[in-house]
Amino acid sequence: RRRREAAAEEEVEETPQEKKLRLAKLYLEQLRQHGESRPAPGAGAPAGRPRALSPALTPRGSPAHVLLSLQVQPPDPASIRVLRGHQLPVTCLVISPDDRFIFSASKDGSLIKCKWEVESGKRLCVVPGGKKGTEERHMGHASHILCMAISSDGKYLATGDRNKLIMIWDTATCKRLHIFTGHHDAVSGLSFRKGTHQLYSASHDRCVKVWNVAENAYVETLFGHQDVITGLDSLSRECCVTAGGRDGTVRLWKIPEESQLVFYGHQGSIDCIQLINEEHMVSGADDGSVALWGLTKKKPLALARQAHGMQDAQGLQQPYWISAVAALRNSDLLATGSHSASVKLWKCSEGFRKLEPLWDIPLVGFVNSLKFSAAGDFLVAGLGQEHRLGRWWRVKEAKNSICIIPLKRRTAAPSPEAPDSS
C-alpha cells in the first residue's frame, strides 16, 4: 500500500480506511502498467502502514534503491572546499532542491543564518540576530538555531531555535514571512513533507507539531516521546520519523491515523535520524552506534557499533558520539559524522540488511549536520568546535565552517545492477 505525493492528490473527504483502499488499488494499477509481477515490498506488513508509490516518487525518474556506492570514487581530501563565515559552531544546514545554494546556521548570536552559492562559494545573504526577546524587532533569531528545513519546491525555509520559535523565510529574498509559536521548549527538528508546504516540527518539549506554512496555520500536536526529541525527518507519505533522545526510541508517526510505531535498538541517546527512502531509515546515537531500520521491523535491520571508534575521555574509553547522519535518497549510500576527525561513507548492502564501511573523509571538529546534494555529486558537512546541542567537549583546532565534499563517479560503465541515477 503506497501513498502518492499530496501535490498529485485531489482533496477528497474520506476516512483513513477509504484512503488506504483507494491507494492500494492505485498501487496495483501501477504495477500492471509497469509490467511488474513481483509482490509489493512489505506485502506482509500491518494493514495500517502507509506506502509510497514507486517509481513515481523516486527523484528524476530513477529506479528506487540505486546502488550508487558501486559508482562513487573515494573522495579526494584535497578537493574539499571550505566556506568560512560563521564565528561559532555550525549547527545545521540544508541544500536547495536545485543544488545551487546552501543555507546554514550557527550558535552565533549576530551571524545567525547564511545563504551560500555552491558553485562560487560566495556568501549571498546574512541575516543578523539579536538579543532574546527582540525577535519582533530583529529579522533573525535571538538564540541558537538548532534545525532547518527547505520545502521541495525551494520556496520556503524553516528554522527552529532554542527559544521555542520557528521562523519561516522566503528563500529567494531571505525575508522573514512568519513566526510560529506553540512549542514549550527548544525546537530541535524540522522537515517539510515532500511535494507540499506541510511542515513537521519536533521539540525538547517531547511533542511533534504539524503546520501549514502556505496558510500560516497550526494543524495539530502529536504526543508520545518520553524524553526530548533530537531529530525529525519526512518524505512524501503523510508521516514523519523522530529520534527520541534518551527515551531510547525511534518513532514513525502516521498523521491521518493519529498513530505511531515505536522502534528500539540503540543503547544511548538517539541524536540524529534520516529517511533513506519510503521503506528505510538510518539513525545515530551517543553510544557510537549507527542503526539501519526497515519501517516494518521494530528492531534494526543492521547495527554498526562503535561506528567511529573509541576515544579516551577523562581516562575512560568511550565511543565517539554519532552527531549527524545523511542518506542519498533512494540509494544505498550513507554518511555519518562525529568528532572523530572524519566523516564516514557507508554502503547499505544485502537488501538493507548490512552496513558496510566504505571510506573515511578527514574533517576535524564536530560534524553537526550532513546533507547529500539531490544529484548525489557532493556532500556538505557543517562543522563546529562544539556539539550542536551542548558544550560537553571542545575541539580547539576545528574551524567553524561548511565543507563541500565532491563525490565523483567512476568512469567505468555501470553494471545492470547499478543504473546511473543522474
Side-chain angles (χ1 to χ4, degrees):
R1 300 178 189 87
R2 301 203 167 213
R3 194 175 291 277
R4 217 167 170 64
E5 287 188 30
E9 221 175 68
E10 290 183 3
E11 291 293 324
V12 292
E13 291 196 11
E14 57 186 351
T15 66
Q17 288 73 24
E18 290 171 336
K19 193 170 185 178
K20 282 184 281 188
L21 180 62
R22 175 171 58 81
L23 292 175
K25 290 178 180 177
L26 193 60
Y27 175 69
L28 292 174
E29 178 62 29
Q30 254 211 350
L31 286 186
R32 282 193 288 272
Q33 288 177 3
H34 287 85
E36 294 183 39
S37 58
R38 58 184 176 81
R49 189 170 306 286
R51 295 287 184 185
L53 285 169
S54 178
L57 295 184
T58 53
R60 306 185 186 181
S62 61
H65 318 330
V66 174
L67 304 179
L68 277 178
S69 63
L70 299 176
Q71 303 174 36
V72 176
Q73 296 178 353
D76 177 10
S79 67
I80 297 174
R81 290 193 292 144
V82 180
L83 308 183
R84 299 291 307 278
H86 289 292
Q87 301 302 309
L88 290 182
V90 176
T91 54
C92 52
L93 58 84
V94 294
I95 305 171
S96 63
D98 59 9
D99 290 347
R100 292 180 57 204
F101 305 105
I102 298 167
F103 295 88
S104 62
S106 80
K107 293 184 178 183
D108 196 323
S110 60
L111 193 64
I112 285 289
K113 184 171 72 67
C114 289
K115 179 180 180 180
W116 310 81
E117 187 176 54
V118 171
E119 186 174 350
S120 67
K122 290 181 179 178
R123 194 169 65 196
L124 303 179
C125 174
V126 176
V127 179
K131 293 183 179 180
K132 188 174 180 179
T134 63
E135 289 89 352
E136 293 296 337
R137 299 197 301 275
H138 289 266
M139 276 296 297
H141 289 265
S143 60
H144 299 173
I145 297 179
L146 297 181
C147 53
M148 60 170 54
I150 192 167
S151 58
S152 52
D153 61 1
K155 184 176 181 180
Y156 296 115
L157 181 76
T159 52
D161 70 15
R162 278 200 177 277
N163 199 25
K164 316 169 194 174
L165 298 180
I166 299 168
M167 294 190 183
I168 308 299
W169 309 81
D170 182 307
T171 57
T173 63
C174 291
K175 300 295 184 184
R176 192 179 72 201
L177 303 174
H178 313 304
I179 298 180
F180 289 159
T181 60
H183 279 295
H184 300 293
D185 206 336
V187 180
S188 52
L190 289 167
S191 181
F192 280 94
R193 181 184 172 199
K194 186 179 174 184
T196 77
H197 293 144
Q198 188 175 59
L199 177 69
Y200 305 118
S201 64
S203 168
H204 288 184
D205 65 11
R206 308 180 185 184
C207 70
V208 173
K209 289 186 184 289
V210 184
W211 314 83
N212 185 321
V213 170
E215 297 180 10
N216 190 20
Y218 160 79
V219 180
E220 62 179 312
T221 302
L222 309 169
F223 300 94
H225 276 294
Q226 303 302 304
D227 192 34
V228 301
I229 305 175
T230 53
L232 175 147
D233 195 24
S234 66
L235 279 175
S236 301
R237 297 184 303 163
E238 200 170 352
C239 64
C240 61
V241 295
T242 52
R246 297 211 170 275
D247 77 1
T249 68
V250 164
R251 296 182 188 233
L252 168 67
W253 305 80
K254 298 192 278 189
I255 311 299
E257 294 88 343
E258 296 183 357
S259 64
Q260 57 188 286
L261 295 177
V262 185
F263 303 80
Y264 295 93
H266 292 288
Q267 300 300 311
S269 176
I270 308 170
D271 288 346
C272 45
I273 190 165
Q274 190 172 1
L275 284 158
I276 302 169
N277 50 48
E278 300 285 0
E279 312 296 333
H280 301 92
M281 59 186 170
V282 61
S283 60
D286 71 359
D287 64 359
S289 62
V290 174
L292 182 60
W293 310 81
L295 298 190
T296 61
K297 303 286 185 183
K298 293 197 173 184
K299 297 289 184 182
L301 300 177
L303 188 69
R305 302 182 189 276
Q306 300 173 19
H308 279 250
M310 301 289 285
Q311 62 175 326
D312 183 19
Q314 298 172 339
L316 297 175
Q317 286 291 306
Q318 295 182 5
Y320 280 104
W321 296 5
I322 307 304
S323 51
V325 294
L328 180 51
R329 303 288 197 194
N330 300 301
S331 83
D332 63 343
L333 191 61
L334 305 179
T336 60
S338 181
H339 62 289
S340 60
S342 69
V343 165
K344 289 180 178 287
L345 293 183
W346 303 77
K347 172 186 176 181
C348 304
S349 60
E350 298 180 11
F352 289 88
R353 285 173 173 78
K354 188 176 180 182
L355 273 172
E356 294 182 25
L358 293 174
W359 307 293
D360 286 12
I361 305 166
L363 287 179
V364 177
F366 279 89
V367 180
N368 287 326
S369 188
L370 283 170
K371 290 289 186 298
F372 282 99
S373 64
D377 52 359
F378 63 90
L379 172 68
V380 182
L383 291 178
Q385 293 182 333
E386 300 168 352
H387 192 285
R388 77 179 180 108
L389 295 176
R391 307 189 69 180
W392 299 282
W393 291 287
R394 184 175 178 83
V395 182
K396 292 182 180 179
E397 61 272 26
K399 307 295 184 186
N400 299 316
S401 58
I402 292 134
C403 296
I404 302 176
I405 305 158
L407 299 174
K408 294 183 179 179
R409 304 288 174 87
R410 299 182 189 277
T411 54
S415 65
E417 292 80 25
D420 190 338
S421 72
S422 63

